[in-house]
Amino acid sequence: MNIKLKYMLGFVLLLFMQGVVAQTVTGTVTDNTGMPLPGANVIEKGTSNGASTDFDGNYTINLTTENAVLTFSSLGFLSQDITVGGKNTINMKMQEDAQQLSEVVVTALGITKDQRKIGYAVTEVGGEGLTQARETNVANGLSGKVSGLVVKQTNSGPGGTAKILLRGVASTAGGSTSPLFVIDGVPMDNTQRGSAGEWGGSDAGDGIGNINPDDIEKMTVLKGQSASALYGARASNGVIMITTKKAKKGDYNITFNTNFTVEEAIDNTNFQSVYGQGIQGTKPNNASSSLATNDRSWGARLDGSDIIGYDGNTYSYSKTNDSYIDFYQTGNTFTNTLSVSKGIGDGAFRLSLSNLSSESIVPNSGLDRITVNLTADQNITDKLNVSATVNYTDERYDNQSFLSDGPKNPNNFLFLAPNVSQSIFAPGFDENGSEIVFASNAFATNPYFITNQGVNDPSRRRLISILSTKYSFTDNTYALLRLGNDTSNDKFFSVNPFGLGYLSGANAFGSLDGKGQSTRSELNFDGIFGSTFSLTEDFEVDALVGGTLRKNKFETVGVSGGPFIFPYLYSPLNVVNIGRSYDYEEKEVHSGFYSFDFSYKKYLTITTTGRYDVYTTLPEDNNSIFTPSVTAAFIFDDFLNIDALNFAKFRASYAVTSGEPGSPYQTSFYYSGGNSINGVPTGSTPNSLPNLLLKPFTTDEVEAGLNLQFFNNRLGLDLAYFTKTSHDEIQRANYSSASGFDSGVVATGSIRNQGLEVLLTGTPIRNENFRWNTSVNLTSIKNEVLKTDANNNPINLGTNRAVTGQAVTAFVVGEAGPQIRAYDYAYNADGSIMYDSEGLPVRGELKSYGQVLPKFYGGFNNDFSYKNFNLSFLVDFNYGNKVLSATEYYARFNGLSKATLPGRETGFTNNGVTVDAQTFYQTEIQRINSKSVVDGDFIKLRQLTFGYSLPESLFENMNFFQGVDISLVARNLAILWRKSDNIDPESSFGSTINFIGIEGGSLPSSRSIGLNVNFKIK
């Protein structure tokens, strides 16, 4: 270890050590089968001095008093007191508490509740599963681990957006589909900072991607509307609670975690390699014909003869050993996190510093992120507690990739003919700095050029701060004030570089796409009063009332312009024409809420909540709404008297949540100013018709579920059935321009989701040396669009450049949404395909070809531990959805698809007319774009870890280390099964609901393999 770092840590150790060690006690804490219990508490009774057991159940505590008594406790087990006496080693075997299901869980507003009292579905994911085989966006680590949850990463490089759907699409209004993320009880901003569309753009990431997984203790997924009802407006997509790591009183730990992974691009194509570049079955015969056919595979059979390439050099007309995937480099991500936690008197703190450095698989592209996290907790008096959390992130991206399927996309070598090597187009520009155009389409940018000359450098500085004060009037009555602020400052700088191929004349000097900055903030202020009291010996009430103020602000300013006057000077002062942009949004929500739990003998708990919201984005007459919920949890295992059954709970709930427009300023006219004419100021009226009658939309949900635990909690079953329906959704509407407006907003949308979620957990083997934990989660969802606009017209969402809007995703009344709509063949009366007079297929009707979201999905997770070894793997699957694929379109149009092999030599004869294969297949895919729709089904080996904890005996004589855990880790290892031939079924370039289910030929998928090492420092 670096000497300076060692001295620094030594200084920190001396600074926080206090007291005189009277006696040191060590030992191991196990369950009643002899298995180690990590995270068990060992407290010196009557003091704040304590320790926690490590992964192997070992602990060390330095006593501060004579005649000490140690209290051993762990969630799910009975607490036990042991008098130390003169013993230096005390091993404890804990006994399970049959009255506990597992542990308390974090619910809405950050309130912890007994699992037994909860009447809705909740799933927890431990932080350890997010840190070993990690992703640069921690939300991607949830994939396959939670029933009802779909997580898909955007193929955009490190730091990309995680597309998250919980229990289906909650709204037809578009916008973000992400659940609300809440850190330590306070909502955070998870706005997607930028999204690619079919005409260009890049993915600037989301809010959750800034959070360091090393600072997360656990994530709690509140799935239903009842679980998240107290959050009101943004709860229709569900809530994911993040509990950060905190120090415990009497605890002292220093840990250093380092994680290094390498990443490689995956070639998912299965293209033909029988025919080479050319057209109409002939080879190119000169440089110009080679240039025009580098990405056209309609030539002759590959025979190894010599041909003239685009640059005048001679190349072999045979399959190249240099494929498009070789353009990509081996990426890597190196993450280091140092954390110090210390309990001091009646308080405790934890400080962590983390650095992430990630090189993308795309050359000259990468991400650097620094994160600082501080949590502190202090008892000012025996009744007053103050806690704080501060999280600072500084993130910088270098040359972030553009994702449309042509201009500035680094994946354009994907469609090179089988005999054309991608490496011959390096370095991408000539001696004059002009792009080496490698195909007839100048908009298909040379990947070498854009990776060597491109400029797209966003950055972000973000501060999340939470201050909470709790005053306990009694042990069961408290008042809580909590203030949370989330502020991010984003900068953007993007350029069309000098020499870009599709720019000509003076424009060849390039232009400034945009340079500027934006500030986004969210302020939440909560006041809560809570109390627990008994009405009788059998009836208990747990009540809280409170209020929330939320403020959101967004402001952005930028400049653009072009062309540049001098090459390579990418400054706003170096453009012929300059443009300016400015935008500002502000909105508030004022809310009051209550929650009452009524419990009878710990068998039955009825909970009711209510929330009243007032929105500033809506007209004054319609800007408020009250939304209720009621849940029931009935514990019935004692009534059945079945020895094998340890716990049984039936739960049921009904809830309503509300929502507001995604953007403010849609209920009144707003005029804009323009340039003056002859000194006279000008202005313009809006093109969008405001709606003065908008009101909050609502989503209601009915849920029923069952929790069962058998055989001393070694087998568990969690079932949930739900039906969720939205009403009066606020969405865009199109009007005839003759009315004076071309668009507006209406409140007519409605969508329904029905589903069944199953979670099966088990411990098939558990003994002193070996344990096998396994879980299977399954989700089945049926989705239906009930209403769109006033006329129930389809609402088109997204497309890709290949089909130019002729095939789209859309919300269609009566069908699952979003639905892929594309053109079919026209058919004769006998059902045969109709051909025109030239022997080519005729386009038929626009039809729906399937939903973009899976009907059935889940994951299979296994953890094995043998002594100091551990092995885990996760397999997840996805079934029943379709993908609109640009790769499939271009592979067919360019002659790369194996589907284009039949008829190459003979052509096709239809209606007595023979047509060559190239003309037939190209016309077919242009007219019948349903051929671009492929199946999205897959089974993947998502995660694999293999670890070893070094024996503690190795560190007995060391003054620095206490233990070391080493793990080999891997993510996205393999696609075990898929139906699509040439793409990863999860591939996508857009991060919003508009582009779910659309593949655009952007960056390839990748797999990562690496090493995680955790040092426990004394």
Side-chain angles (χ1 to χ4, degrees), residues 774-849:
T774 185
S775 67
V776 178
N777 69 82
L778 307 169
T779 302
S780 174
I781 286 188
K782 180 181 179 181
N783 171 281
E784 183 181 0
V785 177
L786 304 179
K787 294 181 181 179
T788 53
D789 60 20
N791 298 316
N792 279 334
N793 294 312
I795 300 175
N796 291 345
L797 299 175
T799 184
N800 56 42
R801 288 168 61 94
V803 295
T804 59
Q806 297 178 50
V808 297
T809 59
F811 287 117
V812 183
V813 171
E815 299 181 353
Q819 190 81 201
I820 294 180
R821 308 192 79 206
Y823 285 98
D824 190 11
Y825 295 99
Y827 295 95
N828 297 307
D830 62 357
S832 60
I833 295 175
M834 183 182 297
Y835 296 94
D836 61 19
S837 60
E838 296 178 348
L840 298 171
V842 177
R843 171 179 289 178
E845 298 179 4
L846 182 67
K847 295 182 178 180
S848 295
Y849 281 87

Side-chain angles (χ1 to χ4, degrees), residues 665-932:
Y665 318 128
Q666 298 189 76
T667 61
S668 299
F669 281 102
Y670 293 90
Y671 301 92
S672 58
N675 295 326
S676 61
I677 300 176
N678 296 325
V680 178
T682 64
S684 60
T685 59
N687 294 323
S688 180
L689 177 66
N691 190 331
L692 307 181
L693 302 177
L694 289 181
K695 61 182 180 179
F697 73 83
T698 59
T699 300
D700 59 61
E701 182 179 59
V702 176
E703 177 184 334
L706 190 66
N707 295 91
L708 301 174
Q709 293 284 335
F710 299 91
F711 311 116
N712 292 323
N713 298 328
R714 291 182 62 175
L715 177 64
L717 176 67
D718 186 343
L719 292 175
Y721 173 80
F722 66 90
T723 178
K724 179 172 63 172
T725 307
S726 65
H727 308 273
D728 304 320
E729 289 182 30
I730 301 168
Q731 58 192 24
R732 304 292 297 178
N734 296 321
Y735 300 135
S736 169
S737 57
S739 67
F741 302 92
D742 56 19
S743 63
V745 287
V746 295
T748 56
S750 179
I751 193 169
R752 177 188 294 134
N753 292 277
Q754 296 173 293
L756 177 66
E757 299 166 351
V758 180
L759 173 62
L760 184 65
T761 59
T763 307
I765 301 175
R766 184 174 67 185
N767 56 46
E768 185 175 353
N769 292 323
F770 183 75
R771 178 187 287 246
W772 172 24
N773 293 327
T774 185
S775 67
V776 178
N777 69 82
L778 307 169
T779 302
S780 174
I781 286 188
K782 180 181 179 181
N783 171 281
E784 183 181 0
V785 177
L786 304 179
K787 294 181 181 179
T788 53
D789 60 20
N791 298 316
N792 279 334
N793 294 312
I795 300 175
N796 291 345
L797 299 175
T799 184
N800 56 42
R801 288 168 61 94
V803 295
T804 59
Q806 297 178 50
V808 297
T809 59
F811 287 117
V812 183
V813 171
E815 299 181 353
Q819 190 81 201
I820 294 180
R821 308 192 79 206
Y823 285 98
D824 190 11
Y825 295 99
Y827 295 95
N828 297 307
D830 62 357
S832 60
I833 295 175
M834 183 182 297
Y835 296 94
D836 61 19
S837 60
E838 296 178 348
L840 298 171
V842 177
R843 171 179 289 178
E845 298 179 4
L846 182 67
K847 295 182 178 180
S848 295
Y849 281 87
Q851 63 193 65
V852 302
L853 298 176
K855 300 176 182 178
F856 187 53
Y857 55 93
F860 178 42
N861 196 33
N862 288 272
D863 294 294
F864 303 91
S865 60
Y866 176 73
K867 294 185 177 180
N868 288 7
F869 293 92
N870 61 84
L871 171 69
S872 69
F873 68 87
L874 170 65
V875 174
D876 62 357
F877 70 91
N878 184 101
Y879 174 79
N881 66 296
K882 301 290 184 179
V883 178
L884 180 59
S885 171
T887 296
E888 186 69 18
Y889 176 95
Y890 288 124
R892 288 174 179 262
F893 187 85
N894 292 349
L896 279 170
S897 173
K898 288 185 176 180
T900 65
L901 291 177
R904 288 279 186 132
E905 311 291 344
T906 61
F908 296 92
T909 302
N910 301 303
N911 291 341
V913 179
T914 300
V915 59
D916 64 273
Q918 179 181 345
T919 301
F920 180 85
Y921 285 120
Q922 288 184 336
T923 303
E924 180 186 49
I925 194 61
Q926 288 177 314
R927 293 180 179 178
I928 320 300
N929 44 50
S930 60
K931 307 290 286 186
S932 299

Side-chain angles (χ1 to χ4, degrees), residues 144-155:
K145 296 179 180 178
V146 180
S147 61
L149 188 69
V150 173
V151 183
K152 295 183 181 297
Q153 66 184 48
T154 306
N155 290 47

